[in-house]
Amino acid sequence: MDLMAVTLHVNGSANRVEAESDIPLLWVLRDQLGLTGTKYSCGIGVCGSCMVLLDGMPAKACRITAAECAGKKITTIEGLAEQADHPLLKSWLELQVPQCGYCQSGQIIMAYALLSEKHDPSADEIDQAMSQILCRCGTYPRIRQAIQQASEMMRAKEPS
Ligand code: FES
Ligand code: FES
């Protein structure tokens, strides 16, 4: 087994790891860096439970290799959790969005990416973006509500 050294910039820290050239980012995050908030579910790029931000864009950590992420800025749910006063996280808690919770790190990462791109997404735009992350508990109505509430809070803070 050939190992290669890769430096991953995760949640603001540089981490040097030894990894097989084809190992998915997901396993390095979970097994080597202990960032287990990023979940494994389908492993084939379908469910979105493993979503992270790669240079600010949503990316499925089961479908990209750690080697491909060298030099890029990776943000996981643990990184977003450091922004506890972010309107999205506040709304998520206030509206008690999660049920079993398994899909929720992927949901929050995707919602964060959506609000970074569009400060005032329509209900259709929210549903379209969030349908990429499967929730077996059917929390989509609360997800939509939380994103709409966070959007309002963020726009209220913008200079007029
Ligand atoms: S575990 Fe990556 S998309 Fe399902
Ligand atoms: S909250 Fe259970 S799968 Fe989404």
Side-chain angles (χ1 to χ4, degrees):
M1 166 184 13
D2 286 336
L3 296 180
M4 58 187 286
V6 183
T7 299
L8 296 175
H9 295 268
V10 187
N11 302 331
S13 300
N15 301 270
R16 191 171 166 81
V17 297
E18 300 269 317
E20 293 159 58
S21 60
D22 59 350
I23 194 164
L25 174 65
L26 178 61
W27 299 120
V28 175
L29 291 175
R30 289 181 59 85
D31 295 344
Q32 295 196 42
L33 301 182
L35 297 170
T36 53
T38 306
K39 300 300 184 198
Y40 168 60
S41 183
C42 71
I44 55 170
V46 173
C47 73
S49 293
C50 64
M51 201 66 86
V52 296
L53 296 173
L54 202 57
D55 285 342
M57 300 298 291
K60 291 170 180 163
C62 72
R63 300 301 289 169
I64 36 170
T65 64
E68 287 173 298
C69 300
K72 298 187 176 168
K73 187 178 156 196
I74 301 160
T75 307
T76 68
I77 192 68
E78 289 87 352
L80 290 193
E82 288 167 12
Q83 306 175 40
D85 62 343
H86 191 286
L88 184 64
L89 299 188
K90 280 184 162 176
S91 299
W92 223 264
L93 282 179
E94 202 175 301
L95 297 172
Q96 299 190 15
V97 172
Q99 192 164 315
C100 81
Y102 200 83
C103 71
Q104 294 290 315
S105 54
Q107 304 286 4
I108 293 171
I109 290 276
M110 181 56 94
Y112 186 94
L114 173 66
L115 286 175
S116 301
E117 192 193 344
K118 284 180 189 286
H119 286 190
D120 188 14
S122 67
D124 280 352
E125 287 170 331
I126 293 172
D127 291 348
Q128 200 179 346
M130 302 313 295
S131 67
Q132 297 173 62
I133 317 293
L134 299 185
C135 177
R136 291 159 186 82
C137 301
T139 60
Y140 295 110
R142 291 199 298 277
I143 286 172
R144 189 195 309 132
Q145 219 183 332
I147 293 172
Q148 286 170 330
Q149 180 174 302
S151 164
E152 279 168 28
M153 290 164 72
M154 288 164 74
R155 281 181 287 121
K157 281 188 188 168
E158 283 172 1
S160 48

